[in-house]
Amino acid sequence: MIVYRNETRCTASHAALAELRESLGSARSLGAGPARYDRLIALLIDGGALESAVADALCPEIDRVLPPMAALHRVTRALAGAAWCAWRGIEHDVRGHLDHAADALSGLERAELPSEVALAVPEGFAHYAVYPECYFEAAARLEAEHGAERDAPGPMATCLGLRTIGATLVACVTAVLAERGWQLASFTVRPRGHPFDRRPRFASELAAALRERLAGWFLVVDEGPGLSGSSLDGTVDALVQLGVPEERIALFPSWCTDGSALRSARARDRWPRLRQTVIPFENVWLESGRLARACGAAALEDLSAGAWRRRLIPDARDWPAVQPQHERRKYLDIASAGGGKVGARHLLRFAGLGRFGARRLERAQALSAMGWSPEPLGVAHGFLCTRWVEGTPLAAADVTSHLIAAIARYAADVRALAPAEPGASREALAEMAAFNAARALGDEWGERAHRAMGAARWSDHACIIDGRMLPHEWLRTPHGYMKTDALDHGDDHFMPGPQDIAWDLAAAAVEFALDADGERALVDAYARHSGDRGTAERLPAYRLAYLAFRVGYCTLAAEALGSISSAAADAERFRAATARYAAALRDALCRAPASDRHRGGAPRYDLVIFDADGTLRRTTVAGQPCPFDDGDWELRPGVPDAIRRLATPVAPRFGIASNQDRIAYGQLTLARARRLLRALAREALGRALPDDAIQLCPHADEAGCSCRKPAPAMLERIMAFWGVPPERTLFVGDAETDREAARRAGIDFIWADDLFGTTMPDAPALAQQT
């Protein structure tokens, strides 16, 4: 199921460096105190995000040891050192670490950096209350446990941070151990591949550097494990393949598990044998009283992971389904300290560290001024403090004309907030709707969704929507209706991200089961308040997209909770919700218009891979076998029409596999070749492709590598990334080496001349060619 989206922001490398340098200068001018400490944590997070982005740009396929990456790591580690000293109150050392960070940043002014980087959101810092301080304390525990073994110059450890968030977290671990005299080497790596089978790839120089340190500890640092545990396990497996004994590997995850619930079979088998060094959030922030003191609270009641239901909804039979891992941490101040009277309650809700929390505060202030959200009192250590509002959560049966009018006003007010760059594109929403419908209802329904989304009307106006329009998110209070949980779900790592407000209107219509008259009243009232008159035409497509998303989300939540005995009730609630959304999706598809662009007769595949040169593109420079720059190529005639015919819901995935031997001959750089292939994907396929779906071989023909076609390795990597078997994959090429690569990979093949002709070959013709 498709429910997640990528949260990235493209920016010029040197602009990001200048922004970091300015923030560092501001922090250096502040005196000791909570404001400077929060600024140091924000700096550390931003430094790690930039380090990770540069590493991803310089190492698109395989992790290497490169000077710019080492220089950026020195910056992040110096910022971690400053935060670690401030955390312990050792002020005289904070300044020295900040000076080291400033010097390292100055040295990067002359570094050869990629012109542009994609800054990814570190999800743990933004959404899930992963704290650098927990990793500081975990590293201190490891050092304390092995202090008896120490003799100068101290134990040896090699630290691997898993990008994105691992670039920051590994700096936290190394900052502590470096201070205690450990002999350290530190790197960041990117596990790649299918979500349930990720592993890093080490270039020869990185592998050699790791082998030189086999006698010491190997520390693997990340925020996981996630559903599968494969990123951490795959990294451990790669180290074991290099000769590292398992007993010398220690994991630094964000939570401790025995591995029994992980989706990766290999991770489940290995996890019990691995050492895990974890200091939980509760130890650092709750049992110590730090969070309560920072927010002026005397006692905190935990409302996280669905616990709020016990306080607000008396009958458990009425409880909505909750996926605990996706809920933000939240606590109720049940007795105000600092002179406040008992009963003057406040709610503390994780809003995000650094810039993420600052953005949530701004939104909370805007919504509070409009009367929709409780008054925000500030942000402390990533937690937003608001006044507690007594009220009753609504149910779908509570819909009235007054509520419909309130939802319409709320949607108009949310749309009036600052516009935003769209999150999921129209193509991505259509892909999600078709894919999830096919998985939930069958391929025919996926095709219906594809045709309906192709006929959809769209708006170019996007805002940070609410994203949580379920009935229980609305409170009935003595002063009217109030919207809860309205700060971050419209801009997190789930679909759809910033979007047309029609998403929220469609969600409200679905969740409150509005009939035709109720939906018309909602849309008309919204139009009166907003001046947006075209919503009724856009609503059907967003209803399909919303229902497809909820089907996907509830399906995955039920699967994840099904193996946890304590979560059995919520797993059953999600299964019931899945059935309800699937029925509504089927009904909406029966009433949806069809796109006139659909054509029958196309063979059905889950994945179509293309060769590049001579297949999707041709050079415009005489005698040049492939493009060396942006103006050196054009699409082959017939490509756009053929792609539209291929792009059915049962073939929603694409890939590119290209021999690029001109890299080996020095005529083209690897970075430029990848950039040109990314541009080709956007132009030919109408969408960006993940890097793992674009495979190239940079080796010369005479090198005898295992990836150059006719070898099948590139095709196999793309299939592994998408999780598609050979029998559901098609390869399109223009050379005999392409056809041989397809044969060795066990997949169907079609000549580019045939595919991009005036007619679409049928399945028997494909079978004859292969």
Side-chain angles (χ1 to χ4, degrees):
M1 292 292 188
I2 298 175
V3 297
Y4 295 100
R5 70 183 185 94
N6 290 325
E7 293 182 271
T8 57
R9 173 173 63 92
C10 290
T11 186
S13 297
H14 286 284
L17 279 173
E19 184 178 350
L20 189 63
R21 192 178 298 112
E22 182 179 353
S23 297
L24 175 57
S26 176
R28 295 171 79 189
S29 67
L30 293 175
R36 189 188 67 171
Y37 182 77
D38 283 349
R39 183 71 61 86
L40 291 177
I41 294 297
L43 261 174
L44 170 60
I45 292 170
D46 289 346
L50 179 57
E51 178 190 346
S52 180
V54 169
D56 282 339
L58 294 176
C59 305
E61 294 182 320
I62 187 168
D63 288 306
R64 311 187 64 87
V65 179
L66 298 172
M69 294 162 55
L72 274 165
H73 186 64
R74 285 194 291 274
V75 174
T76 311
R77 191 154 133 184
L79 294 173
W84 165 237
C85 291
W87 173 246
R88 294 178 301 151
I90 306 176
E91 287 301 323
H92 63 274
D93 285 344
V94 173
R95 172 68 62 178
H97 285 293
L98 292 179
D99 289 344
H100 285 312
D103 291 343
L105 272 175
S106 298
L108 280 163
E109 292 178 358
R110 297 175 297 278
E112 293 187 10
L113 298 175
S115 59
E116 187 177 79
V117 293
L119 290 168
V121 171
E123 295 170 3
F125 297 148
H127 310 308
Y128 295 128
V130 173
Y131 275 77
E133 293 88 346
C134 294
Y135 288 77
F136 287 149
E137 297 297 338
R141 171 180 288 181
L142 178 72
E143 201 283 330
E145 290 175 352
H146 293 274
E149 299 177 9
R150 287 187 53 183
D151 54 0
M156 177 189 294
T158 304
C159 307
L160 296 182
L162 308 191
R163 300 195 295 267
T164 297
I165 196 171
T168 300
L169 297 179
V170 78
C172 296
V173 171
T174 55
V176 176
L177 298 181
E179 181 192 67
R180 308 295 173 88
W182 286 49
Q183 304 173 67
L184 297 171
S186 183
F187 309 93
T188 68
V189 297
R190 169 70 68 187
R192 298 169 171 87
H194 186 273
F196 289 173
D197 188 23
R198 297 194 189 280
R199 62 183 293 129
R201 298 175 60 211
F202 303 143
S204 57
E205 72 274 12
L206 177 54
L210 297 175
R211 286 194 186 97
E212 289 177 357
R213 304 178 63 83
L214 293 179
W217 283 97
F218 281 77
L219 313 180
V220 183
V221 187
D222 190 30
E223 68 177 338
L227 277 177
S228 71
S230 70
S231 290
L232 282 162
D233 176 71
T235 304
V236 171
D237 195 60
L239 291 174
V240 170
Q241 295 299 316
L242 287 178
V244 181
E246 269 191 6
E247 60 271 18
R248 300 297 291 175
I249 299 175
L251 302 184
F252 279 73
S254 63
W255 62 291
C256 195
T257 174
D258 64 3
S260 59
L262 299 177
R263 299 286 290 274
S264 166
R266 191 180 64 195
R268 289 196 303 271
D269 175 67
R270 173 177 279 140
W271 216 267
R273 303 194 302 270
L274 297 175
R275 176 195 178 96
Q276 299 176 66
T277 304
V278 181
I279 302 294
F281 171 91
E282 288 77 8
N283 291 23
V284 174
W285 291 102
L286 299 182
E287 295 171 9
S288 66
R290 285 190 180 98
L291 182 60
R293 289 194 299 272
C295 299
L300 297 177
E301 176 185 346
D302 190 356
L303 301 184
S304 309
W308 55 269
R309 294 176 294 185
R310 291 194 297 270
R311 174 173 282 275
L312 296 177
I313 306 175
D315 192 338
R317 292 173 297 182
D318 297 330
W319 286 3
V322 163
Q323 179 17 319
Q325 292 176 327
H326 294 159
E327 280 214 341
R328 276 48 167 180
R329 286 184 178 273
K330 53 186 76 72
Y331 302 93
L332 178 62
D333 170 12
I334 57 177
S336 181
K341 62 181 180 180
V342 174
R345 299 173 178 170
H346 302 100
L347 180 68
L348 309 180
R349 183 183 188 278
F350 183 73
L353 298 175
R355 65 175 70 233
F356 307 108
R359 286 209 302 261
R360 306 294 180 251
L361 175 60
E362 289 179 4
R363 184 174 176 88
Q365 290 168 335
L367 290 175
S368 175
M370 295 172 174
W372 294 114
S373 290
E375 177 189 359
L377 304 178
V379 174
H381 299 308
F383 276 81
L384 175 69
C385 180
T386 64
R387 297 197 185 279
W388 175 260
V389 175
E390 294 292 344
T392 303
L394 299 185
D398 294 326
V399 65
T400 65
S401 60
H402 293 294
L403 175 62
I404 290 174
I407 293 173
R409 291 196 309 274
Y410 175 68
D413 285 345
V414 168
R415 185 180 188 270
L417 298 175
E421 288 294 318
S425 66
R426 302 169 186 178
E427 293 79 13
L429 290 180
E431 178 186 17
M432 176 194 69
F435 190 85
N436 289 4
R439 293 301 180 269
L441 304 174
D443 287 349
E444 178 185 351
W445 295 97
E447 290 201 35
R448 288 194 185 199
H450 176 72
R451 295 197 297 271
M453 297 299 280
R457 301 291 183 90
W458 304 94
S459 169
D460 292 328
H461 186 282
C463 64
I464 297 179
I465 60 174
D466 179 288
R468 294 284 289 184
M469 299 294 282
L470 290 88
H472 65 271
E473 303 284 0
W474 288 84
L475 290 182
R476 184 191 294 111
T477 77
H479 308 291
Y481 294 110
M482 185 164 285
K483 184 66 181 63
T484 68
D485 208 5
L487 303 182
D488 45 26
H489 290 291
D491 191 21
D492 60 12
H493 62 301
F494 287 103
M495 287 284 193
Q499 202 61 231
D500 183 350
I501 196 65
W503 177 282
D504 279 347
L505 293 169
V510 167
E511 299 298 347
F512 285 98
L514 299 184
D515 59 18
D517 290 339
E519 186 173 306
R520 190 177 304 110
L522 174 65
V523 171
D524 289 347
Y526 161 75
R528 288 194 301 273
H529 289 293
S530 66
D532 178 10
R533 302 291 177 183
T535 313
E537 296 179 348
R538 307 195 305 271
L539 211 60
Y542 282 100
R543 187 196 328 276
L544 289 179
Y546 178 77
L547 286 167
F549 167 75
R550 292 300 297 173
V551 165
Y553 180 85
C554 293
T555 298
L556 295 180
E559 291 176 358
L561 299 177
S563 60
I564 304 173
S565 58
S566 61
D570 275 316
E572 183 55 38
R573 293 184 184 104
F574 274 117
R575 281 190 285 269
T578 299
R580 185 173 66 252
Y581 287 122
L585 177 59
R586 185 185 293 107
D587 181 64
L589 287 171
C590 287
R591 294 183 283 112
S595 168
D596 58 7
R597 295 186 307 177
H598 177 73
R599 303 180 186 181
R604 296 181 176 182
Y605 294 95
D606 291 326
L607 172 62
V608 180
I609 306 173
F610 295 91
D611 170 53
D613 298 302
T615 297
L616 289 177
R617 70 186 178 188
R618 61 187 184 188
T619 59
T620 57
V621 180
Q624 191 169 289
C626 67
F628 296 162
D629 217 331
D630 294 325
D632 293 356
W633 65 277
E634 63 185 9
L635 283 184
R636 176 186 175 133
V639 167
D641 288 340
I643 296 300
R644 281 194 291 271
R645 296 197 298 274
L646 274 172
T648 67
V650 290
R653 304 299 196 193
F654 290 110
I656 294 176
S658 177
N659 290 345
Q660 293 285 306
D661 54 9
R662 298 297 148 173
I663 298 172
Y665 299 136
Q667 297 171 304
L668 183 64
T669 65
L670 176 62
R672 179 168 293 181
R674 291 206 65 87
R675 180 171 60 80
L676 291 171
L677 288 174
R678 291 189 194 104
L680 173 63
R682 288 191 295 269
E683 181 73 16
L685 308 177
R687 69 187 70 178
L689 285 182
D691 279 349
D692 285 327
I694 301 176
Q695 294 289 329
L696 62 83
C697 170
H699 307 110
D701 188 13
E702 59 271 17
C705 67
S706 61
C707 54
R708 181 179 175 83
K709 294 176 293 184
M714 289 192 288
L715 306 181
E716 291 168 347
R717 289 173 193 162
I718 296 172
M719 287 189 287
F721 171 71
W722 287 125
V724 177
E727 62 269 20
R728 302 295 297 167
T729 303
L730 171 68
F731 184 39
V732 184
D734 71 318
E736 185 59 38
T737 52
D738 294 327
R739 184 164 75 161
E740 176 62 13
R743 187 192 68 79
R744 296 186 190 181
I747 65 179
D748 282 350
F749 176 78
I750 183 172
W751 293 107
D753 285 346
D754 293 332
L755 178 60
F756 301 131
T758 56
T759 60
M760 185 74 173
D762 56 18
L766 287 172
Q768 291 170 9
Q769 290 185 44
T770 57

